[in-house]
Amino acid sequence: MVERGDKIAVALSGGKDSSALLYIFKKIFHNRNDLEFFAIAVDEGISGFRSITLRNAEKVAKGLGINFYRFSFEQEFGFTLDEIVSKKFEQAPCTFCGVLRRKLIDRKAKELGATKVATAHNLDDEVQTILINYLRGDIARLGRLYGRRAEFVPRIKPLQAVPEKEVALYAILVGIPIITAGCPYATRSFRFTVKKMLNEFERKYPGTKYSVMRGYERLSEFLPRAQQDKKLLRCERCGDASASSICKACEIIEMMKGT
Ligand code: SF4
Ligand code: ZN
């Protein structure tokens, strides 16, 4: 995943997974002069939660001697996630949060000259995403999971085969501070229900998460790949690459303007 000359933007939330990932990069590649790593943290504007994890993110990055950049929804889009949630739109907070965070990270990584964005998605996250797409019958998205679109900064997920519990264990063993505060909106998401279900399965039938992942890997050879090769459009508002004439982030901005 890491290649000669890479300049890697690590999406750092300050939680155990992204902190562990940054730590691992530093540990493995500290004597590679051709590589560069920096951390991007996003403040979505979730009161009582994000400020705590961001403080930790900055501490972790500085402790490792890695450049730390912090950006916020408020500066970039003009509103916080809390403000979006207060409008009581139909969609769950995570839907807005995910779209805007991805947009912000991609945009800033590009501006800062990154060749790749590394995220700390672990096995649990990946398996949840696979199952969510199965449950929603979203085969197009299922096929795109490991796809790469030329216009976006390529993403790497070095922890994608490591169970969440093992990442946590590693973080504890190497002395990364574990934050116990959780996002107040997490329980409202579809993902939360899927996560609980998967953990229950894993407890009763150990190995379930790996089975879902392996099954998906085999199946993915047969999934339609057309979307990846399809030429992306330009968003009419922001000019970024988009699957439709107005990108999802700009749709959210319009929704907020209309309230
Ligand atoms: Fe955003 Fe949802 Fe994660 Fe909270 S749980 S930070 S709302 S994606
Ligand atoms: Zn746009």
Side-chain angles (χ1 to χ4, degrees):
M1 293 184 195
V2 178
E3 294 163 298
R4 190 173 293 279
D6 264 342
K7 181 172 179 179
I8 298 184
V10 182
L12 185 70
S13 69
K16 62 179 188 331
D17 301 276
S18 57
S19 300
L21 178 62
L22 199 66
Y23 180 94
I24 292 166
F25 275 144
K26 179 76 182 187
K27 187 176 160 75
I28 297 177
F29 298 114
H30 66 276
N31 55 3
R32 286 279 300 270
N33 297 328
D34 61 314
L35 298 174
E36 202 185 313
F37 296 90
F38 62 89
I40 292 184
V42 175
D43 181 359
E44 301 94 343
I46 305 171
S47 61
F49 167 63
R50 194 46 96 206
S51 56
I52 303 171
T53 66
L54 286 178
R55 226 174 295 135
N56 198 47
E58 189 163 8
K59 203 167 111 195
V60 169
K62 292 208 165 135
L64 293 170
I66 287 172
N67 284 339
F68 176 81
Y69 299 91
R70 176 180 171 152
F71 304 102
S72 73
F73 280 10
E74 192 159 31
Q75 282 169 345
E76 197 68 18
F77 306 116
F79 43 79
T80 63
L81 186 68
D82 283 342
E83 283 165 352
I84 301 180
V85 176
S86 74
K87 304 288 181 193
K88 303 198 184 319
F89 294 121
E90 194 185 321
Q91 300 93 323
C94 297
T95 307
F96 298 105
C97 190
V99 168
L100 296 177
R101 190 177 41 235
R102 256 193 311 277
K103 176 79 157 188
L104 189 51
I105 290 174
D106 194 67
R107 186 181 283 170
K108 297 301 173 189
K110 230 180 248 170
E111 282 173 19
L112 292 163
T115 55
K116 282 174 191 148
V117 170
T119 63
H121 292 97
N122 56 44
L123 177 73
D124 294 49
D125 299 321
E126 295 298 281
V127 170
Q128 286 157 24
T129 304
I130 292 165
L131 221 60
I132 287 170
N133 288 320
Y134 278 137
L135 293 171
R136 287 189 169 143
D138 195 341
I139 303 304
R141 187 163 290 178
L142 200 60
R144 284 208 301 265
L145 227 54
Y146 289 131
R148 211 185 117 172
R149 288 173 161 187
E151 266 89 343
F152 296 100
V153 182
R155 298 211 158 209
I156 55 169
K157 302 184 216 174
L159 305 180
Q160 69 186 16
V162 187
E164 182 173 11
K165 275 190 184 163
E166 290 183 23
V167 180
L169 196 58
Y170 180 82
I172 292 168
L173 287 173
V174 300
I176 290 167
I178 304 280
I179 308 261
T180 48
C183 175
Y185 302 131
T187 53
R188 299 201 206 171
S189 65
F190 193 72
R191 180 176 292 272
F192 184 75
T193 313
V194 171
K195 179 179 182 153
K196 270 203 313 195
M197 182 183 79
L198 266 168
N199 285 343
E200 181 64 14
F201 263 97
E202 184 70 35
R203 199 177 58 76
K204 280 193 187 159
Y205 311 105
T208 298
K209 290 174 188 171
Y210 281 120
S211 304
V212 175
M213 179 58 108
R214 297 294 164 248
Y216 171 74
E217 280 169 1
R218 262 178 251 144
L219 184 67
S220 68
E221 293 164 30
F222 305 101
L223 289 169
R225 302 247 158 205
Q227 286 279 355
Q228 287 164 36
D229 310 323
K230 205 167 107 181
K231 182 91 186 86
L232 288 171
L233 304 166
R234 292 266 153 215
C235 168
E236 286 170 12
R237 302 279 188 279
C238 67
D240 286 352
S242 167
S244 49
S245 57
I246 296 180
C247 75
K248 289 267 175 276
C250 288
E251 262 177 31
I252 296 171
I253 295 168
E254 303 270 295
M255 281 169 80
M256 287 301 283
K257 272 191 199 150
T259 58

